Amino acid sequence: MNRLFESLLELIRRTSTVIPDDVHRAILASLEQEKKGTIAANAMQIIDQNIALARNKSQPICQDTGSIIFYVEAPASLDQIAFEEQAREAVKTATKKGYLRQNSVDSITGKNDGTNLGPGSPTVHFHQHRSPEISVRLVLKGGGCENVGAQYSLPNEKLKANRDLDGCRKAILDAVLQAQGKGCGPGILGVCIGGDRATGYEHSKQQLLRSLDDQNPNPELATLEKDIVETANKLGIGPMGFGGKTTLLGTKIGVLNRLPASYFVSVSYMCWAYRRQGMVLDAEGAVQKWLY
Amino acid sequence: MIELKTPISEEIIRSLKVGDEVLVTGRMFTGRDAVHKYLHEGGQLPAGVDFKGGVLYHCGPVIIKDDQGQWKCVAAGPTTSIREEPYQWQVIRDFGLRGVIGKGGMGERTLAACKEYGCVYLHAIGGAAQVLAECIKRVPNVHFMEKFGAPEAIWEFETVQFPAVVTMDANGNSLHKEVFAASQAELAKYL
């Protein structure tokens, strides 16, 4: 059994069963916020118990183990075809072991062959860089939260949202309102301002690779990120949409250039069961360190 | 906490109200997108499956076979229920359900069916697949496994004290409607 395969399998296991520390801290803070004895506080308590159980039993935090999205940063010397083959084998084995649900369905025939392999599953994004380091990040994103993602084309008359940051704010907050508890809140938003319909959504998902504690280098966006979380948490949607104080745990906003004719705001909603992990590999494919 | 044992009587269901926390014990069936569409299109339940007085769980579990060849539930949280909104009222009416468990809530047609036929919507904690799998003590059977695949099959669960919250009752009340209206009004203040 080769090193890379073992590392990828362990990456999938950890991602599916262990919540990252930054997310766990945010969940514990929100548990403190909710008024004791309310259904919102009880929901957060069950969530916290669930995090511990999943870790201890090495079983999926959520049964919807989601879209399997790898992000690989590597030097040009990496054999991408061989890497992808190993990733597919690791997904197949992880599914047999129950770290992943049999979650990939042929869109036309409705058949599920139980392997999690097929067109688009898993998805592997490769990015070459000059450094010799190989890093692999994995996001498992469930269907419930994916379904409440939204893309707005500005201006939007109904929302009175113009082509400026205030318009973006209105669009993002509308996405929070429409999502209510359906995306398994408290949630985390990845947002992209600009791009086209495909790159906008893709870049919004990539924001979910950022640590919850990081600071946006663009001060205007840093302010907007903070404002979105504060405002969303005044709306009273709360955990699971039960009513309560925590609607969002975080918001991360990125930007792409746009065409003069287009102005998209793309919002990806991540559930509290925020499954993301990453690793740095050595040349043999063994794990050197974990990233979250 | 209110203890419910399946099958559940109409009288008990009608006494429940929005915000009540319940623990469900007994036989429960899963059914989600494929099952609802199938029943809506006139499909029949397989032999041995009876929803009468029972609870339907919107769930696509992770289930593996253990060393003895027994089904073992590894993860089993709720899926988003609103996708079943076009069909749920009919399944409640035709198959005598007393409870539907899911997450995210459902719409007007389901709320009306709950009132008319005596059913409640029970919200389980989304994503809490391990806490909820612990309450599933046995998986005696599965139906439509070949036809729909594992997540979409009808699984039979023996549950003990499965926790959920009544968010739509049999008296026409919906927490989801209330929270949406209140949060929409609140948001208007900050725009």
Side-chain angles (χ1 to χ4, degrees):
Chain A
M1 203 63 75
N2 77 54
R3 282 272 171 77
L4 177 60
F5 170 85
E6 283 172 27
S7 298
L8 287 165
L9 183 59
E10 176 61 7
L11 175 65
I12 297 169
R13 188 195 69 80
R14 284 195 189 215
T15 310
S16 177
T17 65
V18 183
I19 210 99
D21 282 343
D22 59 327
V23 180
H24 198 189
R25 281 196 300 276
I27 286 171
L28 290 174
S30 105
L31 174 58
E32 287 297 309
Q33 287 281 310
E34 297 298 338
K35 201 171 149 213
K36 301 263 169 309
T38 58
I39 52 176
N42 294 348
M44 291 310 296
Q45 217 136 28
I46 289 179
I47 285 170
D48 191 40
Q49 285 167 14
N50 193 73
I51 289 169
L53 261 179
R55 177 194 283 259
N56 296 340
K57 298 179 80 172
S58 193
Q59 289 180 356
I61 295 164
C62 174
Q63 77 292 335
D64 185 355
T65 54
S67 300
I68 305 160
I69 316 167
F70 289 98
Y71 297 89
V72 183
E73 292 192 308
S77 58
L78 180 82
D79 181 340
Q80 296 187 357
I81 296 170
F83 184 98
E84 199 161 344
E85 278 167 7
Q86 292 303 318
R88 290 166 62 85
E89 282 307 306
V91 163
K92 205 162 134 188
T93 303
T95 309
K96 272 195 197 132
K97 286 177 175 284
Y99 304 144
L100 298 176
R101 183 171 71 180
Q102 299 178 0
N103 221 22
S104 186
V105 179
D106 183 304
S107 295
I108 304 302
T109 64
K111 287 283 174 229
N112 182 340
D113 75 2
T115 63
N116 267 325
L117 301 179
S121 182
T123 297
V124 187
H125 296 281
F126 288 103
H127 177 70
Q128 286 185 356
H129 60 191
R130 293 290 180 203
S131 146
E133 191 175 277
I134 302 172
S135 68
V136 186
R137 288 174 171 80
L138 173 62
V139 172
L140 299 174
K141 190 168 186 301
C145 68
E146 184 66 4
N147 287 348
V148 298
Q151 191 168 58
Y152 297 84
S153 176
L154 302 189
N156 180 310
E157 218 173 346
K158 199 171 141 228
L159 298 177
K160 298 194 181 73
N162 299 312
R163 290 182 157 198
D164 51 29
L165 278 187
D166 183 60
C168 296
R169 177 179 182 268
K170 284 176 175 153
I172 298 164
L173 288 170
D174 183 66
V176 174
L177 176 73
Q178 300 304 330
Q180 292 284 304
K182 288 194 270 292
C184 284
I188 299 90
L189 302 184
V191 178
C192 173
I193 298 172
D196 63 27
R197 288 200 183 271
T199 59
Y201 263 134
E202 175 46 39
H203 199 65
S204 74
K205 279 211 175 73
Q206 282 189 34
Q207 300 308 305
L208 299 171
L209 298 172
R210 290 169 52 191
S211 165
L212 283 183
D213 316 310
D214 79 353
Q215 170 85 9
N216 196 313
N218 178 324
E220 274 190 298
L221 294 181
T223 305
L224 184 58
E225 287 178 355
K226 201 160 162 270
D227 171 71
I228 295 287
V229 174
E230 283 173 7
T231 308
N233 288 345
K234 287 179 193 162
L235 302 184
I237 296 169
M240 294 295 130
F242 285 172
K245 294 186 173 152
T246 333
T247 299
L248 288 183
L249 298 174
T251 294
K252 301 291 168 189
I253 305 175
V255 181
L256 294 177
N257 274 15
R258 60 181 176 82
L259 297 178
S262 300
Y263 197 122
F264 294 113
V265 178
S266 309
V267 182
S268 284
Y269 189 107
M270 178 60 103
C271 56
W272 69 260
Y274 187 166
R275 285 151 295 164
R276 96 151 117 59
Q277 191 45 271
M279 57 187 183
V280 174
L281 300 176
D282 67 17
E284 274 73 53
V287 181
Q288 278 184 328
K289 68 167 184 190
W290 294 99
L291 289 169
Y292 299 103
Chain B
M1 286 286 181
I2 299 166
E3 300 262 358
L4 297 176
K5 289 204 166 60
T6 62
I8 311 170
S9 73
E10 182 172 354
E11 190 192 352
I12 287 173
I13 287 299
R14 293 210 180 266
S15 73
L16 296 171
K17 52 188 192 308
V18 161
D20 284 345
E21 291 177 270
V22 302
L23 296 169
V24 184
T25 298
R27 181 68 54 101
M28 189 187 281
F29 295 97
T30 68
R32 50 180 291 171
D33 307 70
V35 169
H36 282 81
K37 180 168 177 285
Y38 167 82
L39 294 175
H40 174 75
E41 289 170 350
Q44 294 302 304
L45 286 173
V49 177
D50 187 0
F51 288 171
K52 209 163 175 10
V55 171
L56 181 64
Y57 184 19
H58 295 161
C59 171
V62 180
I63 304 221
I64 57 172
K65 257 197 177 144
D66 68 13
D67 301 337
Q68 282 86 49
Q70 301 290 312
W71 296 115
K72 181 171 170 266
C73 183
V74 175
T79 192
T80 309
S81 300
I82 195 68
R83 296 191 307 271
E84 315 319 335
E85 181 63 14
Y87 321 117
Q88 195 67 69
W89 63 274
Q90 195 183 346
V91 177
I92 292 170
R93 182 193 67 185
D94 295 349
F95 298 93
L97 286 173
R98 291 282 176 236
V100 172
I101 303 181
K103 74 170 172 87
M106 301 191 72
E108 287 297 336
R109 273 173 294 176
T110 303
L111 189 61
C114 283
K115 191 173 178 184
E116 186 167 357
Y117 306 110
C119 183
V120 289
Y121 179 80
L122 302 168
H123 199 302
I125 303 304
Q130 291 307 316
V131 168
L132 299 173
E134 291 264 295
C135 305
I136 296 159
K137 302 300 178 187
R138 228 164 56 82
V139 183
N141 219 336
V142 61
H143 310 270
F144 293 153
M145 176 76 146
E146 282 300 307
K147 194 180 173 78
F148 296 141
E152 297 272 1
I154 297 179
W155 293 91
E156 284 183 43
F157 289 162
E158 291 287 351
T159 66
V160 174
Q161 297 195 319
F162 184 103
V165 180
V166 178
T167 56
M168 292 163 63
D169 64 24
N171 305 306
N173 302 305
S174 164
L175 180 67
H176 308 287
K177 245 166 77 174
E178 286 169 31
V179 171
F180 186 86
S183 56
Q184 193 172 34
E186 197 62 23
L187 178 57
K189 293 184 196 168
Y190 302 107
L191 294 180

